Structures are given as C-alpha cells and as structure tokens.
Amino acid sequence: DYKVTPIYAGNELIPRQVRLEYVGLSASGELISIVLGSEKEVSTDSGTTNVTLDNASPYADIDYLTGTATPKFK
C-alpha cells in the first residue's frame, strides 16, 4: 500500500517535492516493512517507510508558480 503527498511552497501550482509512504501487506493483513535501500528512506515505528523526492527534471526548467515547464534541449 502507498500514499503520495505533494509538498508545495507558498501559492505555487506545482509541488516542489512529493513524500512517498509505503508498506507491504501480507495475505492476513499484517504490515510488511519495505526498504529499497535509498539513503533518503526513513523507516517509521509504525512499520511504514517514507521517502521525500524532489519534483525536478534534468530535461526541463519547471516554473512551480505558473505550472509551466520549458524544455532545456531542442
């Protein structure tokens, strides 16, 4: 199971980051911790794993305030 939460700065239309929270579930409904090995991962006491990812692109300049993206390469 997973949950994604956008993280905005001020009145921007595009989130600067997203927080991803995830956990496995057994057939009987018990939580199974999932750790993928990223240095950004944080395991919680509740058994879930959280990671915060930057919403960026190496191929575009993102204007978070207006919600537009301009390609870096043509």
Side-chain angles (χ1 to χ4, degrees):
D1 203 7
Y2 68 95
K3 174 183 172 183
V4 179
T5 305
I7 301 170
Y8 294 91
N11 292 325
E12 294 179 336
L13 296 176
I14 301 292
R16 294 272 176 167
Q17 296 178 309
V18 292
R19 182 175 301 116
L20 177 60
E21 182 177 357
Y22 45 94
V23 66
L25 296 171
S26 71
S28 62
E30 294 179 29
L31 298 181
I32 302 170
S33 180
I34 299 173
V35 178
L36 302 175
S38 169
E39 67 230 19
K40 294 182 177 185
E41 285 180 315
V42 176
S43 295
T44 68
D45 292 338
S46 65
T48 64
T49 303
N50 295 320
V51 63
T52 300
L53 305 169
D54 294 330
N55 187 17
S57 172
Y59 305 108
D61 290 318
I62 300 171
D63 185 330
Y64 298 93
L65 185 59
T66 65
T68 60
T70 305
K72 289 184 179 180
F73 310 104
K74 293 186 180 202

